[in-house]
Structure formats: structure tokens, C-alpha cells
Amino acid sequence: MKEINVTGQKRENLGKKASKELRKQGLIPCNLYGEKKGENGLPEALAFTIAFSELRKVIYTPHIYVINIDLDGVHHTAILKEIQFHPVTDAPLHVDFYEVNDQKPITIGIPVKLVGLAQGVRDGGRMNLSIRKINVTAPYQQIPEHLDVDVTSLRIGKSIKVGQLSYEGLEIATGKEVIVCSIKMTRNAAANAAKAANEA
């Protein structure tokens, strides 16, 4: 995984009004969830802010980053957990981070990358990618940037399911029956198949 460094400041003033003021200043309210738990047993959030200019490179990218956050001189290693966007402007309103360490595995969605030219596409079919990410569990250092799925031998009408895939050092958390990709019959492919059958 790629790494990126950002600097933030802890915030004392919480609530909607305070958050609105921060956004006016170009700052994004954030929470960091880690090992620390509150009295109710739920993870306790550390509230802080990061300048939007620093967060831009983390938010608007297809890549998954390990994020090194410097909060008032204290270092935290985290991954992006969730981003809340404004429903109209699409501006980021709030970001949640999840603290990671060397010992505890994490579960995260990794982008799927189809590798090779499928036989079914050569025969005139159309590739259909059903899911863009597959959830895997592993220590964060072992998380790859993407998961390669070899589609070379995939034919028209066939699909690849999650259960057919395996990656060294990764435990797949997405259901085995979930379809990753499939090749659909197109009109051209159907016409070619009919023509070949008639000529035979």
C-alpha cells in the first residue's frame, strides 16, 4: 500500500455549529477510531481537523493509502474508513479514520483489476464487472493496491465468483458466491454463433 503523510490538529469544540465554522476556514472535521474504548464498550473517537488541501490527495484517488497522521506532534497510522459528502455540492463534510497497527489484521475493500483479454470478449461477448472491490482481511502491511483477476479463459455465459479466487497472505471476507465478473452474450456474438451453426 502507498503511504501518505498529513498533519492535523485536535479539536475541542464539537457540534454542528463548530464544524460549519471549521469548513468555512478550509478545515475538515475528522474522527480517528482506534483501540481506545469508552464506558459503553464502543470505540472512542479522537476528534481533530485536517486542511482540505491536505485531504484532497487522500479523498480523490482510486488508490488505498496508509495515512500517517501527525496530531499536534503525536504520530498515528491509519486508513480511511468513511467520508461524508454534501448531497448537493459533493464537498467532503466529515472523514472517519481507523487506526491500524502491526499486530491487528484489518478488513478493507481492495479494487479489482481484470487481467488479460477474455476468450468470450474475443468471441464478441461483453465483459461485465459486477463488483469493483473485494473485502480482504490481513495486517495492513500485506494489503495490496489491487487484486488481479485473470479473465483470459473466461467464455461467453460464464462468470468468476469470489470463491474461485485466492491470494497469498490474504483472507477473503466477501461471500464466496458473489460474482466478480461475467461475459454477456451480445447481438453480434449471437448472430455469429447462429451463422457458424448454419454453415456447419
Side-chain angles (χ1 to χ4, degrees), residues 28 58-60 80-85 91-96:
I28 306 297
V58 178
I59 295 173
Y60 301 109
L80 198 59
K81 188 174 179 234
E82 188 179 5
I83 309 168
Q84 293 174 20
F85 291 99
L93 298 176
H94 185 92
V95 181
D96 285 340

Side-chain angles (χ1 to χ4, degrees), residues 5-196:
N5 299 318
V6 297
T7 303
Q9 293 82 37
K10 290 180 186 176
R11 64 185 181 117
E12 306 299 330
N13 298 329
L14 306 177
K16 288 185 178 178
K17 190 176 180 183
S19 295
K20 203 171 181 181
E21 281 302 314
L22 289 168
R23 292 186 198 104
K24 283 182 182 176
Q25 299 168 37
L27 301 171
I28 306 297
C30 304
N31 280 335
L32 177 67
Y33 293 92
E35 297 294 317
K36 193 176 177 185
K37 296 207 167 35
E39 292 176 6
N40 55 8
L42 296 173
E44 202 169 89
L46 173 62
F48 65 101
T49 61
I50 295 181
F52 173 63
S53 56
E54 287 215 31
L55 267 185
R56 184 191 294 273
K57 51 199 173 186
V58 178
I59 295 173
Y60 301 109
T61 175
H63 302 295
I64 298 169
Y65 284 103
V66 171
I67 304 153
N68 299 311
I69 307 173
D70 186 322
L71 287 183
D72 301 326
V74 179
H75 178 80
H76 300 269
T77 304
I79 56 170
L80 198 59
K81 188 174 179 234
E82 188 179 5
I83 309 168
Q84 293 174 20
F85 291 99
H86 191 282
V88 178
T89 64
D90 254 2
L93 298 176
H94 185 92
V95 181
D96 285 340
F97 293 91
Y98 182 74
E99 194 159 14
V100 295
N101 58 46
D102 297 352
Q103 289 79 36
K104 189 178 178 184
I106 60 169
T107 299
I108 189 171
I110 306 297
V112 170
K113 183 181 179 184
L114 303 183
V115 178
L117 179 60
Q119 182 61 49
V121 172
R122 289 182 190 170
D123 295 338
R126 181 171 53 84
M127 177 65 76
N128 182 45
L129 182 62
S130 301
I131 56 171
R132 298 194 175 277
K133 290 184 177 181
I134 294 175
N135 292 332
V136 303
T137 303
Y140 80 88
Q141 305 96 319
Q142 295 178 31
I143 302 287
E145 288 183 36
H146 52 77
L147 296 174
D148 290 344
V149 177
D150 186 355
V151 297
T152 312
S153 59
L154 195 60
R155 296 182 176 275
I156 291 175
K158 299 295 183 182
S159 62
I160 294 176
K161 293 183 178 180
V162 171
Q164 296 169 248
L165 306 173
S166 65
Y167 301 93
E168 190 177 346
L170 303 179
E171 180 187 331
I172 297 179
T174 298
K176 291 183 178 181
E177 292 303 310
V178 174
I179 292 173
V180 178
C181 60
S182 57
I183 297 187
K184 306 288 186 188
M185 177 73 82
T186 61
R187 286 182 183 175
N188 285 344
N192 291 340
K195 184 179 177 184

